[in-house]
Amino acid sequence: MQVTLDAKRISHLLALLLASFLIAKLLQVKFDWTPLSAWGLGISISCQVSNAILKIMDPDNHSSNDLDDNEIKWQQERKRELEKRKERRIGGSTNDKKKE
């Protein structure tokens, strides 16, 4: 495994650290959070936002945004299951009303 260090990656790391630091300080000052909790949430928020931005903005990342066949199949099966549940629920409620 090769680790690539270039200016873009280092600046991205620095931006994540700065954003995490600012969010953590905000939580500590405004909401009286403990430092460990504030850092944990600050890092989580900054990494999630960064990941979302990179998925949208990075042209090399478009292939990873596409769903593979297994995931599409799983989503379709899940959708059918939810529709069946909805039909059963609707059918069960109408049957209950007829009994009364």
Side-chain angles (χ1 to χ4, degrees):
M1 181 167 125
Q2 290 183 335
V3 176
T4 312
L5 292 177
D6 57 358
K8 181 180 177 183
R9 291 178 190 262
I10 292 172
S11 63
H12 185 242
L13 175 63
L14 292 174
L16 286 174
L17 288 172
L18 179 63
S20 300
F21 174 76
L22 293 174
I23 293 169
K25 282 297 175 187
L26 176 77
L27 290 171
Q28 288 176 3
V29 171
K30 295 282 184 180
F31 300 106
D32 295 326
W33 280 43
T34 62
L36 188 59
S37 298
W39 267 101
L41 185 62
I43 290 172
S44 296
I45 290 172
S46 62
C47 287
Q48 290 295 326
V49 169
S50 171
N51 190 22
I53 291 171
L54 283 177
K55 281 187 177 182
I56 294 170
M57 301 297 286
D58 191 9
D60 297 332
N61 200 16
H62 288 301
S63 62
S64 66
N65 285 341
D66 297 335
L67 299 176
D68 62 352
D69 291 336
N70 291 334
E71 192 155 346
I72 291 171
K73 190 176 185 180
W74 179 84
Q75 286 182 352
Q76 290 171 347
E77 289 174 7
R78 181 73 179 143
K79 186 176 179 180
R80 280 190 294 255
E81 287 176 19
L82 292 173
E83 288 173 357
K84 285 180 185 177
R85 284 184 191 172
K86 186 177 178 182
E87 288 174 5
R88 275 188 251 140
R89 221 178 303 137
I90 292 171
S93 65
T94 56
N95 289 338
D96 292 341
K97 290 178 183 177
K98 288 179 183 177
K99 290 179 183 177
E100 292 176 1

